[in-house]
Amino acid sequence: MRIAGATVLLTGVTGGIGRALAQKLSARGARLVVTGRHAATLDPLAAQLGARPVVADLADPGQVAALAERCGDVDILLANAALPASGDLLDYTPAQIERALTVNLSSPILLARLLAPRMVGAGSGHLAFVGSLSGKAATPYSSLYTATKFGLRGFSHSLRQDLHGTGVGVSLIQPGFVREAGMFAATGADVPSGVGTVSPGQVADAVLRAIEENRCEVNVAPARLRLRCAVAGQFPGYAERSAGRGPNPAVDRIVEAQRASR
């Protein structure tokens, strides 16, 4: 799929990965539509990028449907928005669980459903989903987040098969630990030792490559972490024993930040 000249709807633009994506898409000549919850944050960023802002709360299915209606001419959907949703499931209220499921899983599915028919009719388009390596391997204190990413992975792969031959591609991009972005950057917690990190720019480059080459799945992480996730996906019992159950200061700091933000 050619990015230059294409109209791209990018969700989650205000985060670290989202900003990197927006800058690289704009530099490639995309006609950019960006969305976020708060106009005060979204509008200045859109002005810097020369993008069209559309305010929408992806936790509200009605607003998601309205977003799709206002952006019905897009050639590429880039579903990047997500809530961290880390920590003990028992600490979440039913409303918080519903919000995480809606933002991380239901909203990209709904946007794909509403935007894909025009792409299929035109015989051209692309649906790209930014997931996580948590969609391949479970880790402690992330059951809700992991559930959404496992779901997104299954959805994207199946939808890709459904749309085969229509001219509409589907890609899933799965970063590992991202420095300068996300909960580790927000809380100052240390990334677990020995796994390595990638930058928002590296993730953005992988997303653009996936769209242009119609790649099925691109995993963005150092080789050691990709291997660990592959092994954990095939042997979950072994991964569980390897993870251990001792205290993890980095995870504890992220969980506390999550609680404070709810």
Side-chain angles (χ1 to χ4, degrees):
M1 178 75 194
R2 183 177 174 84
I3 291 174
T7 300
V8 181
L9 172 58
L10 170 63
T11 70
V13 69
T14 57
I17 293 175
R19 288 172 186 259
L21 281 167
Q23 291 166 353
K24 288 181 180 289
L25 287 165
S26 181
R28 291 286 185 92
R31 295 191 295 267
L32 198 55
V33 183
V34 295
T35 186
R37 284 194 298 159
H38 303 296
T41 304
L42 182 66
D43 290 347
L45 181 58
Q48 293 174 14
L49 297 165
R52 175 162 67 97
V54 181
V55 175
D57 183 354
L58 299 184
D60 181 344
Q63 292 191 42
V64 174
L67 172 65
E69 185 173 354
R70 293 182 62 182
C71 304
D73 62 338
V74 300
D75 305 299
I76 299 171
L77 167 65
L78 181 38
N80 168 66
L83 298 176
S86 301
D88 192 334
L89 181 68
L90 303 185
D91 288 339
Y92 281 78
T93 67
Q96 290 165 345
I97 291 172
E98 183 64 26
R99 182 175 181 83
L101 291 172
T102 302
V103 172
N104 291 14
L105 183 58
S106 298
S107 70
I109 291 175
L110 181 55
L111 283 172
R113 166 62 184 87
L114 295 173
L115 295 173
R118 177 195 163 278
M119 298 180 190
V120 171
S124 176
H126 204 92
L127 305 167
F129 305 96
V130 178
S132 166
L133 283 179
S134 291
K136 296 189 74 171
T139 54
Y141 308 107
S142 66
S143 57
L144 181 55
Y145 181 76
T146 297
T148 64
K149 296 307 179 181
F150 265 71
L152 188 64
R153 184 170 188 250
F155 169 74
S156 65
H157 289 343
S158 183
L159 182 63
R160 181 181 172 90
Q161 295 180 32
D162 293 344
L163 295 179
H164 179 72
T166 66
V168 180
V170 180
S171 296
L172 175 70
I173 302 88
Q174 299 187 129
F177 295 106
V178 182
R179 59 182 179 272
E180 305 159 9
M183 286 304 297
F184 284 100
T187 62
D190 295 328
V191 175
S193 62
V195 297
T197 63
V198 293
S199 69
Q202 286 176 286
V203 178
D205 286 339
V207 171
L208 269 59
R209 184 171 70 253
I211 293 171
E212 291 176 331
E213 299 176 5
N214 190 23
R215 302 279 296 275
C216 177
E217 179 176 301
V218 179
N219 299 312
V220 192
R224 182 175 180 181
L225 181 56
R226 296 199 307 270
L227 177 60
R228 286 173 61 174
C229 288
V231 171
Q234 291 296 316
F235 305 101
Y238 169 79
E240 178 189 5
R241 292 190 295 272
S242 299
R245 288 293 180 268
N248 187 323
V251 171
D252 290 344
R253 292 181 67 178
I254 292 174
V255 170
E256 288 303 317
Q258 288 274 98
R259 287 171 178 164
S261 66
R262 290 177 201 159

